[in-house]
Amino acid sequence: SNVILSDSKFTSSSAYMDDNKNYSKVDGGALFITGNDVVVSGTTFDACNATNNGGAIYNRGYSDSETYNKCVFINNSALSVDGGCINVYANLAGVVFDNVLFINNSAAGNGGAINVDDDAKYVIFFETAFINNTAGKNGGALSFDNSKRNMLEDTLFLQNQADIGGSAIHISKNMLEDKVIKSYFINNNAYGAVIDVNGTINSNFEAIFINNTGNTVIKLNFANYTNISNGLFLGNNVESTIAIN
């Protein structure tokens, strides 16, 4: 069955640990999803926060799909763990983001905007922008940990920051396929890479990188069958443009 949420606004919704230390209330400031196919359209999540994961949305269910269309996530935060806006910890068929804005979101851990932390079959982004998101660990905008296929097309990463690696994107744990197509990475900053890839198969990057700061633009660590084509690297303040380990 489907759940459709449209043309709504969540402002300052919180999930926090109460005085009795009830940890059941600490994830997903606005939405806590444990099942069903979910479609969210034309909806804004503003200044939502969670003590642990998923400042706006936490998914711990087993559903076929989630779709986010023409949504805005702004000023949301995961105060102590992962996923400033969205944390996916579920066996999903897939998640699709189409024409979505992520602005000024933060996570103390991984994924300033989104953290995918379990067996999602695919995560797809079309015409989506990540602006000024921050992570205390990895993935200033996005962190993928064990999702099988990721695709980003016509996406913008502007002024995102991570304290460790992946100012824009952090990818780890045996992905089957990653594609970044016709996308822009501008003024992102991390101690490590702009895109931090660890343990993947079949990665394809076709993107423009301008004025980013860190150790390297793309780090490939145990990344098999990687193709980088039609790329432009301009004015990046890094030790090496591409690091292959």
Side-chain angles (χ1 to χ4, degrees):
S1 60
N2 294 329
V3 175
I4 300 174
L5 173 65
S6 62
D7 301 321
S8 301
K9 184 173 183 178
F10 296 83
T11 302
S12 299
S13 298
S14 297
Y16 59 92
M17 185 173 64
D18 61 21
D19 292 337
N20 295 319
K21 299 186 183 301
N22 186 346
Y23 284 90
S24 66
K25 300 180 180 180
V26 297
D27 300 306
L31 302 177
F32 190 102
I33 301 170
T34 58
N36 287 308
D37 297 342
V38 178
V39 177
V40 182
S41 177
T43 294
T44 297
F45 298 85
D46 183 2
C48 301
N49 65 81
T51 300
N52 279 2
N53 301 284
I57 299 171
Y58 184 73
N59 189 312
R60 198 181 174 87
Y62 294 83
S63 58
D64 286 337
S65 66
E66 288 180 20
T67 301
Y68 298 88
N69 178 50
K70 295 182 180 178
C71 295
V72 176
F73 293 83
I74 184 168
N75 298 326
N76 303 286
S77 57
L79 300 177
S80 61
V81 195
D82 302 326
C85 297
I86 300 171
N87 193 85
V88 177
Y89 189 79
N91 188 353
L92 294 170
V95 188
V96 176
F97 298 88
D98 187 1
N99 197 3
V100 179
L101 291 175
F102 295 91
I103 304 171
N104 296 340
N105 304 288
S106 65
N110 299 317
I114 300 172
N115 181 64
V116 180
D117 200 23
D118 207 345
D119 190 19
K121 301 301 183 294
Y122 61 83
V123 184
I124 299 174
F125 298 86
F126 297 109
E127 297 182 347
T128 292
F130 299 88
I131 301 171
N132 199 36
N133 303 285
T134 61
K137 293 183 180 179
N138 299 295
L142 298 175
S143 181
F144 299 109
D145 189 357
N146 202 33
S147 62
K148 293 297 182 286
R149 288 179 170 84
N150 307 312
M151 187 178 81
L152 298 91
E153 184 171 348
D154 291 321
T155 52
L156 170 66
F157 294 83
L158 175 64
Q159 296 179 341
N160 301 286
Q161 180 172 332
D163 288 353
I164 301 177
S167 57
I169 305 173
H170 174 74
I171 304 171
S172 65
K173 285 190 181 178
N174 298 321
M175 311 298 162
L176 296 178
E177 185 176 29
D178 295 298
K179 290 184 179 181
V180 179
I181 304 169
K182 293 185 291 184
S183 296
Y184 296 83
F185 298 80
I186 303 171
N187 291 337
N188 300 286
N189 178 59
Y191 174 78
V194 179
I195 300 179
D196 189 1
V197 182
N198 300 274
T200 67
I201 302 172
N202 293 330
S203 295
N204 295 273
F205 301 103
E206 181 183 325
I208 294 173
F209 300 87
I210 301 174
N211 295 339
N212 299 285
T213 302
N215 286 344
T216 185
V217 175
I218 301 175
K219 186 187 82 171
L220 302 172
N221 189 32
F222 300 105
N224 298 314
Y225 306 107
T226 297
N227 179 48
I228 300 172
S229 62
N230 299 314
L232 174 63
F233 300 86
L234 179 63
N236 297 291
N237 184 16
V238 294
E239 296 176 10
S240 61
T241 301
I242 301 173
I244 302 171
N245 300 312

